[in-house]
Amino acid sequence: MKLLEDRILSDGEVIDGKILKVSNFLNHQIDVAFLDQLAQEWVRRFSGVKITKILTIESSGIAIGTSLARAFGVPLVFAKKHQTSNVNEDVYSAEIFSFTHGISYHVVVSKKYILPGDSVLLADDFLANGKALQGLIKICNEGGAQVVGAAIAIEKGFQNGGDELRKSGVKVESLAIIDKMDSDGIKFRD
Ligand code: 5GP
């Protein structure tokens, strides 16, 4: 999506060729009207797909998730980060390895909010190795909910998460896919 690619080129900052900082519209300061425009593109890409809930992870997925929930007219659920693996029977949980922090953490979702019969659209700001989405998929599977796809703002196509998820049958819709980023600049997939 050209709108997002242009914004990444004007406002993004590449750190060590690995991390893209988009703190002034997506990750720290949030351009809400801009995210609502992105959400309209996902509405187009997922038209005809039954969606009953959006599921993301705190904290950086919540802004995108909110715009998506508003656009689709369904609730947003976010997986909460949990300090220990000692989780209780009222929640579904998953362990996720964080690409940005280099450590594993647990997330939990109350069993009240993911139900059998739910058609869940996953959402996140970034897709890199796919661990965050895999954790959310595990939670949906445990809850008997169906994953109908993933709405991602920025996919780092040079990491394999997106392609692996597509191969496994998940409809991943990333609005900007970066094939290369370094000190020479950012190259998007056509
Ligand atoms: P994955 O689980 O797919 O490896 O990584 C996705 C998660 O890591 C996202 O939730 C996102 O918060 C974070 N992440 C991965 N790469 C980047 C990046 O280049 N920039 C930022 N800001 N976050 C990233």
Side-chain angles (χ1 to χ4, degrees), residues 18-20 27 60 97 99-100 124-132 156:
K18 287 193 208 126
I19 300 286
L20 176 65
N27 286 145
S60 60
F97 180 77
F99 170 75
T100 40
D124 212 352
D125 55 346
F126 278 87
L127 170 56
N129 291 321
K131 302 299 175 201
K156 290 150 87 189

Side-chain angles (χ1 to χ4, degrees), residues 20-45:
L20 176 65
K21 274 189 83 173
V22 282
S23 299
N24 76 333
F25 69 97
L26 191 56
N27 286 145
H28 192 21
Q29 170 172 269
I30 312 268
D31 186 338
V32 177
F34 182 74
L35 296 196
D36 284 342
Q37 283 180 281
L38 301 190
Q40 287 309 318
E41 176 64 12
W42 282 305
V43 166
R44 194 182 68 74
R45 294 189 187 199

Side-chain angles (χ1 to χ4, degrees), residues 136-154:
L136 295 181
I137 290 169
K138 173 179 178 276
I139 284 171
C140 288
N141 289 343
E142 284 177 4
Q146 192 196 351
V147 173
V148 297
I152 302 296
I154 305 171

Side-chain angles (χ1 to χ4, degrees), residues 68-88:
L68 277 164
R70 182 163 40 232
F72 283 99
V74 297
L76 165 67
V77 179
F78 64 91
K80 295 187 167 203
K81 291 184 177 158
H82 200 270
Q83 266 141 9
T84 66
S85 58
N86 187 12
V87 291
N88 63 55

Side-chain angles (χ1 to χ4, degrees), residues 31-170:
D31 186 338
V32 177
F34 182 74
L35 296 196
D36 284 342
Q37 283 180 281
L38 301 190
Q40 287 309 318
E41 176 64 12
W42 282 305
V43 166
R44 194 182 68 74
R45 294 189 187 199
F46 285 99
S47 85
V49 177
K50 182 184 169 202
I51 293 166
T52 62
K53 259 163 214 172
I54 310 293
L55 177 64
T56 189
I57 299 186
E58 70 173 350
S59 57
S60 60
I62 293 179
I64 280 188
T66 302
S67 284
L68 277 164
R70 182 163 40 232
F72 283 99
V74 297
L76 165 67
V77 179
F78 64 91
K80 295 187 167 203
K81 291 184 177 158
H82 200 270
Q83 266 141 9
T84 66
S85 58
N86 187 12
V87 291
N88 63 55
E89 62 197 21
D90 299 331
V91 296
Y92 300 116
S93 70
E95 186 179 358
I96 293 173
F97 180 77
S98 164
F99 170 75
T100 40
H101 298 106
I103 50 153
S104 288
Y105 60 97
H106 288 84
V107 293
V108 297
V109 175
S110 166
K111 289 184 178 173
K112 285 191 275 191
Y113 302 131
I114 293 292
L115 300 171
D118 267 330
S119 298
V120 178
L121 178 62
L122 308 178
D124 212 352
D125 55 346
F126 278 87
L127 170 56
N129 291 321
K131 302 299 175 201
L133 287 190
Q134 284 167 15
L136 295 181
I137 290 169
K138 173 179 178 276
I139 284 171
C140 288
N141 289 343
E142 284 177 4
Q146 192 196 351
V147 173
V148 297
I152 302 296
I154 305 171
E155 177 177 335
K156 290 150 87 189
F158 54 90
Q159 297 182 255
N160 287 334
D163 291 334
E164 278 171 18
L165 285 161
R166 288 186 188 94
K167 267 190 218 139
S168 73
V170 181

